[in-house]
Amino acid sequence: MTAPSTRRPRQAPALHVDAEDVPRLGVGHWYSLGLVLLMLAVIVVGTAVGLVVRDGSAARTALLRHVDPAVLESGRLSTSVSAEVGAIRSYSLTGDKTAPATYRQAESETTASLASITRLLRDTPHAGPARAAIAEVGSRAAAWRHDYADPLTNGTGKPSAAFGEQRFAAVRDAVATARTRLAELQHRSADRLDRKVDLLYEMLVGGAVVLVVGALGLTLLIRRTVLRPVAALTGQVRRVSQGDLTHPLRVAGPAELAELAAHVDAMRNHILEEWREASEARAKLDEQTRELRRSNAELEQFAYVASHDLQEPLRKVASFCQMLERRYADVLDDRGRQYIDFAVDGAKRMQSLINDLLNFSRVGRVNRDMTVVNCETVLAAALDNLGLARSESDAGITWDPLPKVMGDATLLTQLLQNLIGNAIKFRSEEPPRVKISAERDGDFWEFACSDNGIGIDAAYAERIFLIFQRLHPKDEYAGTGIGLALCKKIVEYHGGRIWLDTAPEQKGTTIRWTLPAIEETDDSDDSLDSTETAE
């Protein structure tokens, strides 16, 4: 099989867009213009509303704090003026000694009312006629006092009653005129306040209309400049995504969308070209795959020959060497017998190596049906195969409840047999103690095989799973160095991974591996006891 190509993908060709096809204004410009106009409208309406609110507040203040109190005070003014006239009349007719005091008291109240009304109307808009009328009341009241009331009460003169009534009539007319002017001012101020309130309502309604119109304008702008072009572009892109790679993309819209359509169209052209190249590469790959299958078939045939035809000469070599040792035992010296032992041992190890290589090469090559496998059942088969080794080593095997997985029972039995066999082989001075456990971890079951043996240095955590890698001499521990490599191939064939637990507190050796989990629906299969100790 040839190595994958390292050629860099071809760059997509740049698509030229004519300037006349691209609108002068982009989406951002249209939105900026719309927002500026809307903000100006909001500012104008807000300013107008603020001015109306200010004028309305001023009109309300003038009415409630100036005009209305002035009207109320004019009533007191009329009462005090009447009290003055009453006291003078009583004094002129009856000579009541308390009348002058009453007159002075009423005079002071009149003066206070005039001063209060004048102060209230000082800064009130449109209050000029009312202020003039109040000033006229004060002037005529002062003339009446000077010409009639004061001379009468002071004893400096005795003007006629007709003269006094004439002067007082002028005062009464001035008071009536002042109250009329104040009433007119009150009505005018109330009308002004009502107009300001009505204008405020109109401005608020107008502002709401402006906002609604602005919102509708922005909506139409978005629909015209974004939604419609995007919908058109989406439809065209959908056609391309559904397989019509020859369909060109053309969208009439703002500059941004026109540029986006151009880039997407360039990407479509690039994908179309890459697809054509990929089709050619796929055709070549199919041809190489067929060649690889033929080569694999030849390898399978070679493995068959190696396992059958090559083992027969090895058996003959071993058999005839043993017969030679028995036939000529009396004439062979120790060195000759040693040579024969070397030849027999080499032939047996070659047979074992060929069998292990055959098993290693067949993992994943021989078609096997994946079925639901009870791990406790395959553990029982592995323990049965290791019965002699367990008995000789006084090994104790314990396990937790093991789950069911989807896999090949023969390969999983071989996996557990190799791991438990290694734990028994690489034992310490104490009898071997091995524990098999399983724990659910998401979509996988994580298994562990722990022992109390001699352990493995963490520096060799990756090396131990390579084929033919041995950490000990063959005369110290037998084996071909394929066991853990075979375990790794079996686990990876089932979609899991295997590794050495290198935790510092770990005693002995712990090999962990994962297998995909399945949902168990039937728990009626026979299971082993959770603990077994070899006799």
Side-chain angles (χ1 to χ4, degrees):
M1 186 174 180
T2 60
S5 174
T6 58
R7 181 178 59 86
R8 297 183 61 185
R10 185 179 302 172
Q11 296 293 329
L15 183 62
H16 175 70
V17 180
D18 293 335
E20 61 182 11
D21 295 336
V22 179
R24 293 179 179 272
L25 294 179
V27 176
H29 297 94
W30 283 109
Y31 286 166
S32 298
L33 180 60
L35 288 176
V36 167
L37 294 177
L38 183 60
M39 290 301 298
L40 288 176
V42 169
I43 292 173
V44 170
V45 173
T47 302
V49 170
L51 293 176
V52 171
V53 169
R54 186 196 64 182
D55 294 343
S57 178
R60 179 177 177 275
T61 301
L63 177 63
L64 298 180
R65 296 187 180 182
H66 297 281
V67 177
D68 286 348
V71 172
L72 182 62
E73 193 65 35
S74 68
R76 297 193 185 96
L77 173 63
S78 179
T79 301
S80 63
V81 169
S82 298
E84 287 187 63
V85 173
I88 294 300
R89 286 177 179 174
S90 176
Y91 181 75
S92 64
L93 295 175
T94 62
D96 186 5
K97 301 297 184 181
T98 61
T102 303
Y103 162 71
R104 298 301 178 190
Q105 178 66 30
E107 180 187 2
S108 62
E109 292 177 359
T110 299
T111 303
S113 294
L114 291 172
S116 177
I117 294 173
T118 301
R119 183 181 67 255
L120 290 172
L121 300 181
R122 180 181 304 152
D123 298 324
T124 302
H126 311 293
R131 287 196 297 268
I134 292 298
E136 183 65 21
V137 170
S139 175
R140 293 186 181 187
W144 173 73
R145 295 190 198 101
H146 180 270
D147 295 339
Y148 178 75
D150 289 342
L152 184 62
T153 55
N154 294 332
T156 57
K158 192 175 181 180
S160 66
F163 178 76
E165 288 298 331
Q166 181 184 0
R167 290 290 187 180
F168 180 72
V171 174
R172 184 171 56 247
D173 293 341
V175 170
T177 302
R179 297 197 66 180
T180 301
R181 297 292 180 268
L182 287 173
E184 293 173 353
L185 177 61
Q186 186 180 35
H187 289 303
R188 186 172 183 178
S189 299
D191 292 341
R192 179 169 173 261
L193 178 59
D194 291 339
R195 288 196 303 273
K196 295 299 181 182
V197 171
D198 293 340
L199 182 59
L200 176 61
Y201 289 153
E202 293 173 359
M203 295 300 297
L204 291 177
V205 172
V209 171
V210 169
L211 291 178
V212 170
V213 171
L216 291 176
L218 286 178
T219 302
L220 293 176
L221 180 63
I222 292 174
R223 181 178 178 83
R224 181 177 180 84
T225 61
V226 176
L227 297 183
R228 288 182 179 176
V230 167
L233 180 60
T234 300
Q236 297 183 25
V237 171
R238 185 182 296 112
R239 289 187 57 180
V240 173
S241 65
Q242 292 174 351
D244 189 5
L245 296 179
T246 60
H247 178 71
L249 276 69
R250 295 292 184 270
V251 176
E256 293 86 352
L257 288 179
E259 183 180 359
L260 176 61
H263 289 306
V264 174
D265 198 60
M267 182 175 63
R268 178 190 62 83
N269 293 328
H270 177 68
I271 293 175
L272 184 60
E273 184 178 353
E274 290 293 329
W275 177 77
R276 290 169 180 159
E277 295 180 357
S279 298
E280 298 175 359
R282 186 163 53 250
K284 294 180 181 179
L285 181 61
D286 292 339
E287 182 180 355
Q288 293 173 353
T289 301
R290 289 192 294 271
E291 180 65 22
L292 182 60
R293 287 174 180 170
R294 185 190 61 78
S295 176
N296 288 339
E298 293 178 354
L299 289 175
E300 288 287 344
Q301 184 66 23
F302 172 78
Y304 176 81
V305 171
S307 63
H308 292 83
D309 298 348
L310 294 182
Q311 289 192 49
E312 182 60 26
L314 291 175
R315 283 194 294 269
K316 282 187 178 182
V317 171
S319 177
F320 279 100
C321 284
Q322 291 173 344
M323 292 175 61
L324 185 63
E325 182 182 13
R326 289 193 298 270
R327 181 75 176 269
Y328 299 101
D330 54 344
V331 297
L332 291 174
D333 57 5
D334 292 339
R335 184 176 294 277
R337 285 191 290 272
Q338 185 180 21
Y339 289 162
I340 292 176
D341 290 339
F342 286 159
V344 172
D345 180 65
K348 290 182 177 180
R349 286 194 294 107
M350 180 62 74
Q351 284 181 320
S352 177
L353 182 60
I354 290 175
N355 286 328
D356 288 344
L357 282 174
L358 177 62
N359 291 332
F360 184 83
S361 65
R362 284 186 171 180
V363 173
R365 296 182 183 272
V366 179
N367 292 328
R368 300 175 183 267
D369 293 332
M370 291 288 188
T371 59
V372 177
V373 178
N374 191 332
C375 290
E376 296 192 359
T377 302
V378 298
L379 175 61
L383 294 178
D384 185 62
N385 296 338
L386 294 171
L388 180 61
R390 293 164 53 206
S391 177
E392 291 177 350
S393 61
D394 191 23
I397 314 297
T398 61
W399 59 89
D400 294 337
L402 301 180
K404 297 176 183 179
V405 297
M406 186 67 69
D408 183 280
T410 302
L411 294 179
L412 294 178
T413 300
Q414 193 172 7
L415 169 67
L416 291 174
Q417 181 175 331
N418 283 349
L419 293 176
I420 297 174
N422 279 350
I424 295 175
K425 180 192 300 185
F426 298 101
R427 59 182 178 270
S428 61
E429 296 179 357
E430 300 178 356
R433 295 293 180 261
V434 184
K435 180 177 180 180
I436 307 296
S437 61
E439 181 179 354
R440 184 69 178 262
D441 183 13
D443 295 334
F444 290 85
W445 282 101
E446 182 178 312
F447 294 82
C449 178
S450 304
D451 62 49
N452 62 341
I454 60 176
I456 301 176
D457 194 321
Y460 303 108
E462 298 295 333
R463 178 181 171 185
I464 60 175
F465 294 105
L466 301 177
I467 192 170
F468 298 134
Q469 295 297 314
R470 299 176 56 92
L471 303 182
H472 306 280
K474 62 179 181 297
D475 56 352
E476 183 177 351
Y477 292 100
T480 59
I482 300 180
L484 287 179
L486 180 62
C487 291
K488 180 180 180 182
K489 195 167 186 181
I490 292 174
V491 170
E492 291 178 349
Y493 172 70
H494 285 80
R497 66 186 187 94
I498 187 170
W499 70 94
L500 173 68
D501 190 343
T502 58
E505 66 276 5
Q506 186 67 45
K507 304 298 183 183
T509 301
T510 296
I511 300 295
R512 298 185 180 273
W513 69 99
T514 60
L515 295 175
I518 61 173
E519 296 297 332
E520 298 187 20
T521 58
D522 186 5
D523 297 332
S524 60
D525 293 345
D526 295 338
S527 60
L528 298 173
D529 296 335
S530 62
T531 304
E532 177 184 332
T533 304
E535 297 180 356

